[in-house]
Amino acid sequence: MLKARERIERQMSDPSLVRLHRKLSRLRSTVTMMNTGAHPDDEQNGLLAWLRLGLGMRVIIACSTRGEGGQNALGPERLGALGVVRSREMEEAARVLDADVFWLGHGPADPVHDFGFSKDGDATFGRWGEMRIVERLVRAYRMERPDIVVPTFLDVPGQHGHHRAMTRAAEAAIALAADETAFSEHFSEGLKPWSVSKYYLPAWSGGGDTYDDEVPPPDATLVIQAEGRDPATGAEYDRIGEWSRYYHASQGMGRWPKQARRSWPLHLKLSGGGSRTENTVVDGVPASLAALADFPQLPADVADGLRAADAAIAVALAAFPDRDAIIEQLVAAAGALDRVAADAPAAFQALHGHRIERKRLELDAAILEAAAIFERAFADPETIAPGGSSLLTVELSQGFAGKNVEVEPILPTGVTSTVLSRRPDLEFALAAASDAPLSDLFRPAWSALGGNGHGHIRLSAEIGGRTVFGSFDLEEPFSVSPAESLALMPEALLVPLDAERTEWPIQASIHGAQAPLSFKPVPGWSMKPGDQGWTLAATGPLMPGLVEVQPQLDGHRAFQVTPIAFQHIGRTSFRQPVSLKILSLDLKLPLGAKIGYVGGGADRVGLWLSRMGLDVTEMDAAALAGDLSRFTTIVVGIFAFGIRKDLAAATARLHRFVEDGGHLVTLYHRPSDGWNPNETPVRRIEIGSPSLRWRVTDPKADVTVLAPEHVLLAGPNRIGPDDWHGWDKERGLYFAARFDEAYEPLLAMHDVNEQPLNGALISAAIGKGRHTHTSLVLHHQMDKLVPGAFRLMANLVQPA
């Protein structure tokens, strides 16, 4: 449940009059526009702000992945947990635009997921399945019936492969969506073929620090020009676009351009009407209820109803913010559309019935907003366990009496409600069946009209002689979650094959309801309970490889529920099955190594170094300012120079540490991470840009060892071909492009049909010490328990 200050902050950031104007402005247009992209934050927010808020269109953001393969500038969430964060960021970004979200991918377990990076669409389709993503886009077109489709990126060499695949699929799906024989299984679900009227490509380059489009964009056939400012906020539309991008905080989004953008050039690639000459983006598309009245052979009373509804909406907009006048006009418009829906001929209904139905829903939502009946709804607690209970409170405004208001909770499967009281607030007792299924982590869509989440409120009220309906979200998402959360410490063990010990202590913490804990037996290992926790024991000779011991609570699969809370997205959680992973490997540690680890919160390398059995100290500001000579090696984590000011201030001391005999190891940094090529490294190292050119995305790419006898590759673990097997996602990124001659490149690698890159691992003997810089994604491989990553890291942290 939100605290008082959180409610105040929510209300301050979401003024009632702005909400009302948003609900009125969307009534002006009957056009639906869909923007396609591959990741949360791919949307062209400034353009969407103008189309939705300036022109009144319905805007849908169709996104193929949850961004789970990306990086996180905010905290430790990775993979599935990051997907939860970025999904919520996308929803809040859409809320600012008053736009809808249609998710094409459903998280890391779905074939359509964010696996990091690829350099062409074919490589992406190889992971997603081309027909799978095309079918999902066809379904989206048939469900949402967009008139206009605009991808954010071009399908050109030099662009992110996920972007290229989405643009190609978005175009391929247009013909198939209209084909009465394509994906016929859709028709049994009530869907019908749909013809997209216009398909535009962006007539701008997607180049920059990350991408590098090799060919120029297509010629602009139309330039969309944003006019004036948003009447509700007084802000320029591109500024509102940046308000929206602000919510993609995990990706470091949210900037303040000196000048707000006002124009977006587009290239009309496909036109259902055949004409490629146009003056506005809505040429050839019925853009208003009044325009629909020109439908051929439309009965006079239906045409008059459409014009009357359009006129009443215009009067309601002009009456803003007079709520009573607005309600009067909107009720009249809704009545006119009721008659249209009842009397329109079949041919009209087939082409435009969805527009009328959408406007009727939007009119009800606007009437309810103008009447200001609903205040808030919340569940306490906001999660319910199978067999558990919660209390749902719905607060209505003091002036709702006499409006015949009915409230219905819409709840997850297996959860029921019972009315406890109706005054002063409505209260419902919620009860979950003992076999209630756990809620999905990734919802398929998000609607600006409300009704989101696993639980929401359906409200009806009699206003102006008309019964109107609307859906309202709860303050915090409601879900069915396990009653218990199990955490193992450690959750993964590294066991050298020559280890003398045969037993390891394991701590198990159960949060929430208590339940008996057990472990499923695994050959070669046993788990024994004791007074201080559990003991893992090897029952036979160690064999190389990975095994998992699966815990159970009360005989059922155990889950760990991790709470997630950020101010910009509120509170949510991530749930994953628990297992104890044991990696047995041939691992030898450098003698005498005393390691200082400087992390920025973006990796877990310090933790893994400790679990390898090394002497590791996490270095805070005091340690960086103290005696560095007590360390043989200092490791700087990814992005850390851009995250930690105390580290940037200690750069000169780190250089002296190397000169005096220390070994400095820096993990990859982006050029934007406080990395000054001439000042940050001990000698000049320039990070390659755009980054697409300076990475190897194939995790199976061949690796050529340029200096096999180099001290960092020869021992204590001799790095060989097997150490490059089993890598996940990619080899490396943000490679060094140019560097001082003191540095020796140790490896070369490349993606298919590209030239070798030699900036993945470089090292230089400087003074009495050494500086080593690597752009290999070692932190991710360690998280994925790739043996070669630990063997190589053990070598890299050896004393100089």
Side-chain angles (χ1 to χ4, degrees):
M1 187 170 69
L2 294 182
K3 299 175 183 177
R5 290 188 63 85
E6 291 173 320
R7 279 193 175 141
I8 290 170
E9 290 165 356
R10 291 270 186 99
Q11 190 173 51
M12 288 192 302
S13 65
D14 186 28
S16 175
L17 284 180
V18 173
R19 286 201 311 271
L20 176 57
H21 196 274
R22 297 287 184 254
K23 288 179 170 58
L24 290 173
S25 67
R26 67 160 72 115
L27 299 173
R28 292 181 295 146
S29 176
T30 53
V31 176
T32 295
M33 177 269 186
M34 181 178 284
N35 181 207
T36 63
H39 317 95
D41 80 12
D42 278 355
E43 69 275 12
Q44 179 51 253
N45 304 68
L47 172 62
L48 300 187
W50 165 246
L51 296 178
R52 167 58 200 90
L53 306 178
L55 299 182
M57 292 184 187
R58 181 190 178 197
V59 167
I60 304 169
I61 300 166
C63 188
S64 61
T65 78
R66 305 303 180 118
E68 61 268 48
Q71 297 157 345
N72 186 358
L74 295 181
E77 293 80 13
R78 295 291 180 274
L79 301 175
L82 179 58
V84 169
V85 170
R86 296 190 69 183
S87 295
R88 285 289 301 119
E89 289 182 332
M90 181 74 263
E91 292 165 357
E92 292 303 316
R95 190 191 305 277
V96 173
L97 300 173
D98 199 44
D100 299 333
V101 181
F102 193 104
W103 293 107
L104 301 163
H106 310 301
D110 185 59
V112 180
H113 68 276
D114 183 358
F115 56 86
F117 208 93
S118 68
K119 292 180 179 177
D120 60 68
D122 290 337
T124 301
F125 285 144
R127 299 284 291 269
W128 290 356
E130 183 171 3
M131 276 300 99
R132 179 181 290 110
I133 189 64
V134 169
E135 183 273 331
R136 293 185 186 184
L137 274 162
V138 169
R139 182 182 296 274
Y141 293 168
R142 288 172 172 173
M143 287 180 65
E144 305 300 342
R145 299 193 161 200
D147 302 290
I148 300 166
V149 172
V150 184
T152 302
F153 297 96
L154 296 168
D155 176 21
V156 296
Q159 186 53 244
H160 193 324
H162 295 181
H163 298 162
R164 297 184 64 182
M166 269 299 289
T167 298
R168 194 188 309 173
E171 180 173 344
I174 289 176
L176 293 170
D179 187 341
E180 296 183 354
T181 65
F183 304 113
S184 57
E185 66 272 18
H186 293 177
F187 307 139
S188 63
E189 303 168 18
L191 299 179
K192 296 180 180 180
W194 176 249
S195 297
V196 173
S197 296
K198 296 183 179 185
Y199 176 75
Y200 291 96
L201 291 175
W204 62 79
S205 172
D209 292 339
T210 303
Y211 313 125
D212 183 22
D213 291 5
E214 290 184 6
V215 297
D219 294 337
T221 60
L222 176 73
V223 176
I224 294 182
Q225 192 76 27
E227 300 173 359
R229 294 171 178 261
D230 172 43
T233 62
E236 293 172 281
Y237 293 97
D238 193 44
R239 296 286 184 213
I240 296 176
E242 289 303 322
W243 298 356
S244 176
R245 294 198 71 73
Y246 156 88
Y247 283 95
H248 295 298
S250 70
Q251 306 308 296
M253 300 294 175
R255 63 188 184 94
W256 189 263
K258 186 174 182 180
Q259 296 292 331
R261 186 174 179 178
R262 290 181 173 271
S263 63
W264 292 268
L266 297 177
H267 174 83
L268 183 61
K269 179 74 180 296
L270 301 173
S271 175
S275 173
R276 298 182 59 80
T277 302
E278 55 183 355
N279 295 313
T280 73
V281 70
V282 295
D283 282 2
V285 178
S288 68
L289 292 172
L292 290 177
D294 296 329
F295 187 82
Q297 299 179 345
L298 195 65
D301 61 331
V302 175
D304 290 344
L306 289 167
R307 295 189 182 98
D310 191 78
I313 289 169
V315 174
L317 268 164
F320 178 83
D322 185 337
R323 293 178 182 269
D324 290 338
I326 289 170
I327 290 173
E328 179 182 359
Q329 293 300 321
L330 295 186
V331 168
L337 288 190
D338 288 344
R339 295 188 295 274
V340 169
D343 299 337
F348 179 89
Q349 292 282 20
L351 281 177
H352 303 303
H354 68 285
R355 303 184 202 275
I356 304 305
E357 184 57 32
R358 177 74 185 184
K359 279 293 161 279
R360 295 169 75 191
L361 291 174
E362 292 174 350
L363 280 164
D364 277 9
I367 292 169
L368 284 170
E369 187 65 51
I373 293 174
F374 179 83
E375 291 289 343
R376 65 185 57 85
F378 55 90
D380 186 16
E382 66 273 7
T383 60
I384 190 170
S389 61
S390 183
L391 178 67
L392 174 64
T393 300
V394 181
E395 296 181 3
L396 304 179
S397 67
Q398 296 179 359
F400 78 92
K403 291 187 171 65
N404 295 324
V405 177
E406 297 291 336
V407 173
E408 177 190 7
I410 307 299
L411 300 169
T413 301
V415 180
T416 58
S417 64
T418 304
V419 177
L420 294 180
S421 69
R422 295 187 179 276
R423 298 286 179 167
D425 300 322
L426 284 86
E427 292 185 336
F428 299 84
L430 305 184
S434 60
D435 60 350
L438 301 180
S439 298
D440 294 335
L441 294 174
F442 300 99
R443 300 288 288 166
W446 189 89
S447 172
L449 288 179
N452 300 296
H454 294 284
H456 60 272
I457 299 301
R458 177 76 169 164
L459 186 148
S460 65
E462 187 176 323
I463 301 173
R466 175 181 181 79
T467 301
V468 297
F469 298 87
S471 297
F472 296 89
D473 298 344
L474 305 189
E475 283 186 330
E476 294 184 284
F478 181 75
S479 62
V480 181
S481 187
E484 313 90 2
S485 175
L486 173 66
L488 300 179
M489 183 55 68
E491 82 289 356
L493 277 175
L494 302 175
V495 181
L497 293 176
D498 59 359
E500 296 181 0
R501 64 187 300 184
T502 59
E503 294 186 346
W504 293 265
I506 305 295
Q507 298 297 317
S509 301
I510 302 175
H511 299 278
Q514 295 300 301
L517 173 63
S518 61
F519 291 85
K520 296 182 72 172
V522 173
W525 299 90
S526 68
M527 289 290 288
K528 304 173 184 177
D531 294 338
Q532 302 300 317
W534 292 74
T535 299
L536 170 72
T539 59
L542 294 177
M543 301 296 292
L546 178 68
V547 298
E548 295 189 40
V549 182
Q550 187 182 112
Q552 295 186 318
L553 290 172
D554 199 17
H556 300 289
R557 185 71 187 265
F559 291 90
Q560 181 172 9
V561 180
T562 304
I564 297 172
F566 293 103
Q567 186 173 2
H568 67 302
I569 60 172
R571 287 185 282 272
T572 183
S573 63
F574 176 67
R575 179 183 73 242
Q576 61 184 342
V578 180
S579 66
L580 173 61
K581 298 179 175 65
I582 308 164
L583 177 63
S584 302
L585 73 165
D586 179 13
L587 176 66
K588 296 176 175 59
L589 302 180
L591 297 176
K594 293 185 179 297
I595 300 166
Y597 170 70
V598 188
D603 63 55
R604 302 198 305 164
V605 170
L607 173 66
W608 287 120
L609 291 171
S610 295
R611 289 184 179 176
M612 288 163 64
L614 291 161
D615 182 347
V616 180
T617 299
E618 297 271 354
M619 298 184 69
D620 57 14
L624 279 170
D627 180 13
L628 301 184
S629 66
R630 61 193 178 105
F631 302 110
T632 64
T633 309
I634 293 177
V635 179
V636 177
I638 64 173
F639 309 157
F641 277 103
I643 295 172
R644 291 184 52 170
K645 294 181 180 179
D646 58 330
L647 173 62
T651 300
R653 303 189 79 247
L654 291 174
H655 291 186
R656 286 198 300 274
F657 166 76
V658 172
E659 298 279 0
D660 293 341
H663 187 183
L664 175 65
V665 179
T666 49
L667 307 185
Y668 74 72
H669 278 63
R670 298 166 294 198
S672 59
D673 289 321
W675 187 274
N676 184 316
N678 296 311
E679 298 177 6
T680 306
V682 188
R683 297 289 185 269
R684 178 178 174 81
I685 299 177
E686 182 181 341
I687 308 301
S689 180
S691 68
L692 177 138
R693 301 295 182 196
W694 300 96
R695 64 199 302 161
V696 175
T697 62
D698 182 359
K700 299 179 181 179
D702 290 340
V703 176
T704 300
V705 177
L706 301 176
E709 298 305 318
H710 192 278
V711 62
L712 297 183
L713 299 177
N717 304 284
R718 178 164 287 279
I719 303 303
D722 288 348
D723 292 301
W724 305 106
H725 292 167
W727 280 49
D728 182 76
K729 197 163 76 168
E730 55 194 333
R731 288 290 192 202
L733 66 167
Y734 304 111
F735 281 23
R738 287 162 287 278
F739 37 86
D740 189 279
E741 62 183 9
Y743 292 98
E744 180 180 2
L746 306 184
L747 305 172
M749 59 192 72
H750 62 92
D751 282 322
V752 176
N753 298 322
E754 294 186 1
Q755 294 298 311
L757 299 174
N758 66 358
L761 177 62
I762 58 176
S763 189
I766 299 172
K768 299 178 181 179
R770 177 174 296 279
H771 175 215
T772 299
H773 181 75
T774 181
S775 298
L776 298 169
V777 287
L778 290 172
H779 73 290
H780 178 76
Q781 309 310 322
M782 295 166 87
D783 285 343
K784 288 294 185 178
L785 299 178
V786 176
F790 293 101
R791 288 167 45 83
L792 179 57
M793 183 61 79
N795 287 13
L796 297 187
V797 298
Q798 63 184 285

